[in-house]
Amino acid sequence: MYFGAIEAGGTKFVCAVGNDDYEVVERISFPTTAPEETLRRAFAFFDRFDLKAIGIGSFGPIDVTPGSRTYGYIGNTPKPFWGKFDLLGSVQRRYGLPAGWSTDVNIAALSEAAVGAGKGLDSVLYLTVGTGIGGGAVIRGRILEGFSHPEMGHIRIRRHPLDFFGGACPYHRDCLEGMAAGPSIEARLRQKGGEIDPDHEVWDYLADYLAQALYNYTMTLRPDIIVLGGGVMKSPALLPKVKAFLPELIASYVEIPPVDKYLVHPQLADNAGIVGGFILAEQALDER
Ligand code: ZN
């Protein structure tokens, strides 16, 4: 019997089945269209396998509060037809299996903690910097959630003195996501990140904001490692600058691991969400 995993992204759905070693046996991906059509394709895939549990990591916001009337639902999203959609319930009604449920960022964090860059460490923070910014923390193998899931992209940061950009977050303007996610680059320069010279000062701004964010996470959570994923983090200029700025901000107040071991790229790349879904499925099975 297999684990099933769904990585429900705002633009793309990835479904996969895997064995007990979290190895992908088969996977499929297709565009995220209306919920009914999207799930029809997902079910057509999973119906072919004998599953024992399913793990779902979804784009957000989602309700992860146990006991909530809308637990398993997608929250208010601008994506047409998905707002207030009962994604977890739809899957459970179809298969009647133990099902784990969390955010897409959290399941990526879970997989990096279990079998990726954070393997063997107790406390792993994962941050993705792409179209948006999101973070998840995994502590001793469990995703950190409370009343709901963390929103690490929407923290407040201090403005760089030479950066006059107003911020792109529709809720907070110049929160971390508003100032350092991919759309902030395009809004400042009318160019995509990949087209911008590594020496351009915009990388200094972004590295400054990200270093401030990592400073805050370091002080509040004291993780063993911080894994930095997402399309914007692939810009070669960025990570070296963040690595230079963070120790300056910490100013030796607390000890952190050597910075090259503390701030790293993900190891699982394209399969991070899927492997995290298998792990979440396994946890749901163990809990039943
Ligand atoms: Zn915001």
Side-chain angles (χ1 to χ4, degrees):
M1 290 173 92
Y2 296 117
F3 294 122
I6 299 176
E7 191 183 359
T11 53
K12 187 176 72 165
F13 244 64
V14 185
C15 300
V17 293
N19 61 23
D20 288 350
D21 297 322
Y22 311 138
E23 288 162 347
V24 175
V25 171
E26 201 171 322
R27 66 179 270 161
I28 183 175
S29 79
F30 43 86
T32 307
T33 55
E36 293 72 21
E37 185 191 358
T38 308
L39 283 183
R40 201 178 311 128
R41 298 183 76 164
F43 293 161
F45 172 75
F46 286 121
D47 282 354
R48 296 167 37 228
F49 299 95
D50 196 8
L51 302 177
K52 54 185 171 183
I54 294 185
I56 306 167
S58 175
F59 68 99
I62 63 173
D63 189 340
V64 294
T65 310
S68 161
R69 197 173 45 81
T70 51
Y71 178 78
Y73 282 57
I74 301 205
N76 286 320
T77 168
K79 189 149 181 71
F81 312 114
W82 284 90
K84 310 273 186 243
F85 180 74
D86 182 11
L87 178 53
L88 175 64
S90 301
V91 173
Q92 283 178 318
R93 278 191 291 279
R94 176 81 178 191
Y95 295 107
L97 294 170
W101 166 249
S102 195
T103 65
D104 47 1
V105 178
N106 274 341
I107 62 167
L110 193 58
S111 66
E112 286 295 334
V115 295
K119 188 177 177 183
L121 299 174
D122 271 352
S123 172
V124 176
L125 190 105
Y126 174 85
L127 193 76
T128 176
V129 186
T131 313
I133 297 181
V138 174
I139 297 165
R140 293 184 193 92
R142 309 298 296 195
I143 292 167
L144 178 71
E145 284 170 346
F147 179 72
S148 188
H149 51 84
E151 286 286 359
M152 296 190 193
H154 294 269
I155 62 169
R156 299 186 65 144
I157 35 120
R158 195 181 288 175
R159 178 175 287 274
H160 189 287
L162 299 177
D163 184 11
F164 300 103
F165 177 58
C169 175
Y171 295 92
H172 318 112
R173 304 301 303 171
D174 57 357
C175 66
L176 175 67
E177 180 173 297
M179 296 302 279
S184 81
I185 304 174
E186 288 155 49
R188 282 185 185 92
L189 303 172
R190 313 268 167 248
Q191 281 178 296
K192 299 238 182 232
E195 300 160 356
I196 294 161
D197 193 277
D199 293 329
H200 197 287
E201 67 261 20
V202 76
W203 300 120
D204 285 322
Y205 305 159
L206 262 62
D208 177 36
Y209 301 139
L210 291 168
Q212 290 185 55
L214 303 186
Y215 167 89
N216 290 330
Y217 309 142
T218 296
M219 292 301 174
T220 47
L221 291 168
R222 300 304 305 275
D224 293 314
I225 194 169
I226 299 178
V227 185
L228 294 159
V232 174
M233 283 312 305
K234 288 180 182 159
S235 314
L238 202 48
L239 187 56
K241 286 183 192 287
V242 177
K243 283 181 178 176
F245 294 169
L246 179 63
E248 287 176 29
L249 293 176
I250 292 177
S252 304
Y253 178 66
V254 295
E255 228 182 296
I256 56 168
V259 77
D260 284 326
K261 292 199 159 125
Y262 189 49
L263 308 183
V264 300
H265 285 302
Q267 279 184 3
L268 293 169
D270 286 348
N271 271 340
I274 283 305
V275 171
F278 296 151
I279 298 168
L280 203 61
E282 186 176 45
Q283 290 183 355
L285 189 65
D286 290 345
E287 276 162 21
R288 176 173 268 198

